[in-house]
Amino acid sequence: MYFSAQEYAERLAGVRNRMSQQGLSALLIADPANINYLTGYNAWSFYTPQILFVPAEGDMLFFAREMDARPGFRTSWLPLDTIIGYPERYIHRPHIHPFDWVAFMLRERGVVAECADGYIGLEMDAHFFSPKGYRAFVNAIPEWDFVDCYELVNWVRLIKSDAEIALMRKAATVATAAMSVALDVIRVGARQCDVIGEVSKAQIVGTPEVGGDYPAIVPMMPTGEASDAPHLTWNEERFEEGQAVVLELAGAYKRYHTPLARSVILGQPSDELIRVSSAADEGINAVMDAIKPGVPVRELARIWNDVLWAQGLEKPSRLGYSIGLGYPPDWGERTVSIRTEDDTILEENMTFHLIGGMWMKGYGYELSEPFRVAANGVEAFTSFPRQLKQIRS
């Protein structure tokens, strides 16, 4: 276990307090990051249905595929009798679903009647909660009134504990090591896949002091004219003179993520790339200087926009988002976004990925900074230079 029993108790208390505010008598949690946050459970089992039942009072119950539930005690603090495996015959069947069985077990344990007087919160936008799973619960437990919980647990996760921050700092050392490798091996004539192979190795190997975990997202590396599209990966083509290369990756440690993006030009940058990269660099520096507790998130977006507008530029997409604990397919927390419409006020130990991504026509530039809101300012998780990296042949 990476956290104390007291911290897990505080997490559950925070979730239950928010449940009370939203009028929920129970939660059904499918997001693997939220399951991990409350129980410590960590396995590559989320590709099959699994659910954590969280009542307003009493024991939580975790349901997973039988082969994943049996060894659940290896990572989770939950008592063995609250980790329950559903039979293998429910896997990938067209007319039955594992949640049919889970609903029956909830009824057997008497919790259906206990929770029938209130609303039952569901993670309606979770990546691993399917329409078929939702239908199974609705059909099997008609006395429950299901509602969207609106990322309830994700919002509880927003402010990190000191123990979580320590893990993110270690993830940052892995991100730094992986980005350093990338900048060492990106060269004219090198194959993109070979470069990513070295980057991926560095993400897993980490440093002599900190071993890496698997990241929630593979390294992204839009190259050349395709660098105007942010979420492309790689191919087997060789780098060419004059190409811009955008690399976004993350260090992961014990499922906590610290993403990082930098850009490279193979040769001489164009005047336009210099103009855009300089504006983005200035904007990121200005935003970082403004970060401290009490500052509205929308103010960060305003500062960034002012810098860009002075150069005749704009960035339609958000400037960043909250980060922390993550599983595929995303390292973001799906809560705060740094944009002018967000009313969140910064608090100490909130953590974000600040992304100065400029995706133009036929070229792009990305500079990002992972950070923590510190007591009197900001802590940048990495110390990578914030500028375009020029690599000469």
Side-chain angles (χ1 to χ4, degrees), residues 56-85:
E57 296 179 352
D59 292 336
M60 294 188 292
L61 301 173
F62 178 50
F63 297 90
R65 185 181 184 181
E66 190 171 41
M67 67 170 63
D68 296 312
R70 283 201 313 272
F73 71 94
R74 298 291 182 189
T75 58
S76 172
W77 64 264
L78 291 176
L80 284 178
D81 63 348
T82 63
I83 305 174
I84 306 158

Side-chain angles (χ1 to χ4, degrees), residues 32 41-50 62 64-65 67-69 86 128 214 327:
Y41 180 77
N42 179 27
W44 193 284
S45 57
F46 44 85
Y47 68 97
T48 57
Q50 56 187 29
F62 178 50
R65 185 181 184 181
M67 67 170 63
D68 296 312
Y86 58 78
F128 299 101
Y214 65 87
Y327 282 82

